[in-house]
């Protein structure tokens, strides 16, 4: 499995392909995308990358972990460029009509949010499309809190576990402490936490997304923060996350230094290559 976490500042975007889709076969293999944020500083967009680099016109699975702009900021670009979204996973509660009311309370909707609301009304799986059909050995599990237990989009985030061989990574969207604690009441979620290798920090590493209770159930080998220059309290959690990582963290290809916490701010794009028995990590900035 190849998994790449892109530098999209205070946004989110990752892409996953199973073995059949690596290297020269990248244009042929299935593709899963976790969020579709872009980088306004560099001009990088998922739609351009998928069209021009992967040479694809379909996303097999799109997981939107949070119904906020920074997680869908290129969704209009994806749809407008003719890239079809075959399967959409999102928190189905609230429904599209209620979610529209929630989002409009914050101001006028962007074209990206309009596209998300249009897709949100579709079934999670197309008729006849079996779970895992396109991912060839990659499996996933999704969890979410229910509306109206929460009415804010952060605590209604979709928590996505992706698994391949002995590797497991968790994308928790922008869950805040209350949302984490509610999910911890679910035995299935707790069971899924066990054995997680890599944690993508919730809410771009902000203090509001740091729930240390989750580390009662797993010890990550590293934490990844998708962030930009110092804003809010993003960098203030690095030491805490580092404390909960096992050992000296993970090795980075081409570096003699092991790392407990990686950030897109400092490391740029982060690439995981996962084999049947081990995985390697490469960073754009070495």
């Amino acid at each position: 499995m190849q998994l790449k976490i892109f530098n999209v500042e205070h946004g989110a975007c990752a892409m996953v392909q199973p073995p059949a889709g690596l290297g020269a076969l990248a244009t042929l293999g299935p593709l899963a995308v976790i969020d579709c944020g872009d980088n306004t500083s560099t001009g990088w967009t998922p739609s351009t990358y998928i069209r021009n680099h992967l040479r694809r016109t379909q996303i097999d699975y799109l997981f939107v972990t949070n119904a906020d702009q920074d997680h869908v900021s290129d969704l209009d670009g994806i749809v407008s460029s003719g890239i079809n979204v075959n399967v959409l996973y999102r928190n189905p509660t609230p429904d599209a009509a209620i979610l529209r009311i929630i989002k409009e309370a914050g101001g006028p909707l962007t074209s990206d949010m309009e596209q998300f609301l249009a897709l949100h009304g579709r079934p999670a799986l197309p008729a006849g499309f079996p779970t895992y059909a396109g991912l060839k050995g990659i499996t996933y599990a999704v969890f979410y809190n229910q509306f109206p237990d929460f009415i804010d989009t952060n605590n209604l985030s979709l928590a996505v576990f992706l698994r391949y061989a002995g590797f497991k990574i968790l994308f928790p969207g922008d869950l805040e402490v209350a949302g984490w604690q509610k999910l911890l009441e679910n035995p299935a979620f707790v069971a899924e936490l066990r054995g997680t290798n890599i944690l993508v920090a919730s809410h771009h590493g902000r203090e509001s997304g740091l729930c240390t209770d989750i580390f009662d159930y797993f010890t990550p080998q590293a934490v990844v923060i998708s962030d930009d220059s110092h804003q809010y309290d993003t960098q203030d959690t690095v030491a805490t996350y580092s404390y909960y990582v096992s050992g000296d963290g993970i090795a980075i290809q081409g570096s003699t230094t092991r790392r407990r916490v990686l950030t897109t701010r400092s490391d740029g794009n982060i690439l995981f290559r996962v084999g049947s028995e081990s995985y390697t990590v490469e960073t754009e900035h070495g």
Side-chain angles (χ1 to χ4, degrees):
M1 176 182 81
Q2 179 173 287
L3 185 155
K4 194 168 191 177
I5 298 174
F6 292 92
N7 176 18
V8 288
E9 305 169 298
H10 278 288
C13 182
M15 298 188 193
V16 183
Q17 288 186 282
L22 300 185
L25 298 178
T27 57
L28 302 178
L31 174 69
V33 177
I34 302 95
D35 295 318
C36 51
D38 63 351
N39 189 318
T40 57
S41 297
T42 65
W44 183 90
T45 65
S47 56
T48 301
Y49 183 85
I50 292 168
R51 269 286 193 178
N52 297 345
H53 180 74
L54 298 182
R55 300 187 183 279
R56 295 178 55 96
T57 57
Q58 176 169 292
I59 295 172
D60 297 279
Y61 296 83
L62 173 61
F63 298 85
V64 174
T65 66
N66 188 314
D68 284 345
Q69 177 66 19
D70 57 334
H71 291 255
V72 297
S73 60
D74 190 43
L75 187 54
D76 188 44
I78 287 171
V79 175
S80 299
S81 64
I83 299 171
N84 179 60
V85 177
N86 199 8
V87 177
L88 172 70
Y89 274 104
R90 77 288 184 222
N91 185 337
T93 72
D95 63 23
I98 299 298
L99 182 58
R100 175 177 291 277
I101 293 171
I102 293 172
K103 298 304 298 183
E104 286 180 342
L109 301 186
T110 65
S111 58
D112 303 293
M113 190 55 59
E114 290 285 3
Q115 292 286 6
F116 178 67
L117 289 169
L119 290 173
H120 183 78
R122 296 185 349 184
L125 287 170
F129 197 100
T131 302
Y132 309 137
L135 287 176
K136 299 182 179 180
I138 300 172
T139 60
Y140 56 84
V142 296
F143 297 87
Y144 52 84
N145 292 310
Q146 298 276 338
F147 175 87
D149 291 344
F150 292 95
I151 60 173
D152 64 293
T153 54
N154 285 349
N155 285 313
L156 291 171
S157 289
L158 188 76
V160 180
F161 294 88
L162 291 176
R163 326 179 200 93
Y164 182 76
F167 177 88
K168 187 191 300 188
I169 185 169
L170 168 58
F171 294 86
D174 286 357
L175 276 171
E176 298 183 347
V177 173
W180 278 114
Q181 290 176 337
K182 183 66 175 178
L183 286 179
L184 288 173
E185 296 175 9
N186 181 349
F189 178 75
V190 170
E192 194 65 58
L193 279 177
R194 301 186 191 280
T196 297
N197 305 94
I198 304 295
L199 171 68
V200 178
S202 177
H203 210 184
H204 315 290
R206 297 183 201 176
E207 187 72 33
S208 60
L210 175 57
C211 178
T212 59
D213 293 344
I214 65 175
F215 300 117
D216 291 342
Y217 306 100
F218 76 108
T219 302
Q221 295 167 345
V223 174
V224 176
I225 300 176
S226 180
D227 69 347
D228 192 9
S229 58
H230 191 208
Q231 301 174 38
Y232 315 105
D233 51 11
T234 299
Q235 279 92 334
D236 298 341
T237 62
V238 169
T240 304
Y241 278 120
S242 180
Y243 174 80
Y244 286 100
V245 167
S246 63
D248 295 327
I250 55 176
I252 306 299
Q253 293 287 293
S255 172
T256 59
T257 304
R258 299 181 71 87
R259 301 283 298 284
R260 292 185 176 91
V261 178
L262 296 92
T263 69
T264 57
R265 163 179 41 85
S266 298
D267 297 297
N269 300 332
I270 301 167
L271 175 64
F272 293 83
R273 297 185 189 273
V274 185
S276 59
E277 297 182 358
S278 63
Y279 66 91
T280 61
V281 184
E282 302 170 30
T283 63
E284 182 181 11
H285 299 153

